[in-house]
Amino acid sequence: MEVLIVPTPDDVADLAASVVVDALPTSRPPVLGLATGSSPLGLYRRLGEAAAAGHLRVQDASGVALDEYVGLAGGHPESYRTVLEREVCDVVGLDRARLFVPDGTGADLEALIAAARRHEERIVALGGVDVQILGIGANGHLGFNEPGSALSSRTRVKRLSDRTRADNARFFASPEDVPTHCITQGLGTILSARSLVLVATGAAKATAVAAALEGPLTASCPASVLQWHADAVVVLDEDAAAMLANRAYYDASAAGLRLPG
Ligand code: GLP
């Protein structure tokens, strides 16, 4: 795991975008794993600039969503399909026809379970995710994998925790409007991506970041699965990095593998 710490959220966006661009293939259509939330918004803007400058192969790229709410009508402004169309397709230039989001509109559990299975099948059909962009919940969740999620889980229907519903209430007219369930890629699905890039900014994420990077690998902190992935990069601002114990080592490592002498 590589931990890169920079002064400000703008610096996080700049550095994470260059990590993503470098990790994406140029000789075939890239497959980008997309997170919602406020954390990656600056990164998406930088990717849009990279695409405009010809540094990102976006014309035939695909985007695969991490998760979706259950029960929001198609076109609801807070459905993750709508959010990703607005924040990624329109900003980066990704074709909406190649944005794949689990369908959370199914009328019953059976339909939702089928939608979760189709999302897994879609990822396989695309040849897997090249770079999965991730944020982290204040409770350590990844996608909508809440504490207690199986480390090898695949895309499935899950209940949202009270903490996550409260955190996300700011996007809805009232807290009761926040859906109770979701379809989310599992932690095993996320680990199947060729590389992971997690971004976090702000003091509210410092505890979760420290637990994920330096605590035990445990379902109690879903984001700790990053420790298991062979190609995971974490880009943090100073505030999000504030509770890391191994900071000096991360900074030294970030300087590269130059040998003395
Ligand atoms: C949501 C998403 C997560 C995201 C998290 C953090 O719950 N499902 O994928 O990482 O929010 O959001 P933010 O970046 O706004 O703090």
Side-chain angles (χ1 to χ4, degrees):
M1 184 164 50
E2 207 176 341
V3 182
L4 306 173
I5 301 162
V6 289
T8 69
D10 270 352
D11 299 322
V12 169
D14 283 341
L15 183 55
S18 71
V19 171
V20 170
V21 168
D22 287 351
L24 285 172
T26 51
S27 57
R28 60 172 171 79
V31 181
L32 205 48
L34 301 170
T36 53
S38 46
S39 304
L41 293 180
L43 160 59
Y44 293 143
R45 281 194 290 274
R46 297 303 185 283
L47 290 181
E49 290 160 16
H55 301 315
L56 174 64
R57 178 170 173 164
V58 76
Q59 67 280 3
D60 55 5
S62 295
V64 176
L66 270 181
D67 47 12
E68 176 60 290
Y69 288 115
V70 162
L72 298 184
H76 187 291
E78 294 308 326
S79 88
Y80 282 172
R81 168 167 291 281
T82 311
V83 168
L84 290 171
E85 285 178 353
R86 193 170 62 223
E87 309 291 2
V88 179
C89 294
D90 295 357
V91 171
V92 182
L94 185 79
D95 186 345
R96 288 181 177 206
R98 275 192 294 271
L99 171 66
F100 302 103
V101 185
D103 179 4
T105 64
D108 53 26
L109 186 56
E110 204 175 306
L112 295 166
I113 291 171
R117 194 185 54 240
R118 283 198 305 277
H119 198 60
E120 283 283 327
E121 290 167 355
R122 171 67 67 184
I123 293 171
V124 172
L126 288 169
V129 169
D130 290 306
V131 180
Q132 176 63 59
I133 293 169
L134 296 163
I136 182 171
N139 65 356
H141 76 230
L142 216 51
F144 270 141
N145 292 279
E146 301 283 20
S149 293
L151 299 177
S152 62
S153 49
R154 311 302 300 195
T155 306
R156 68 222 186 283
V157 182
K158 289 294 282 184
R159 176 177 275 279
L160 296 174
S161 71
D162 292 344
R163 172 75 189 270
T164 296
R165 293 188 68 227
D167 283 351
N168 290 3
R170 66 191 192 278
F171 298 113
F172 293 84
S174 83
E176 303 82 65
D177 291 345
V178 184
T180 54
H181 290 76
C182 65
I183 297 176
T184 182
Q185 284 191 32
L187 295 172
T189 318
I190 293 168
L191 286 174
S192 302
R194 288 181 193 87
S195 60
L196 307 180
V197 176
L198 184 141
V199 288
T201 59
K205 298 295 173 68
T207 306
V209 165
L213 272 51
E214 297 181 341
L217 172 57
T218 168
S220 297
C221 180
S224 66
V225 292
L226 260 76
Q227 298 176 30
W228 193 254
H229 198 284
D231 186 1
V233 180
V234 180
V235 188
L236 305 170
D237 72 354
E238 288 288 349
D239 289 340
M243 294 179 69
L244 292 172
N246 289 331
R247 168 71 189 266
Y249 180 71
Y250 304 138
D251 288 348
S253 297
L257 287 179
R258 285 189 309 272
L259 299 176

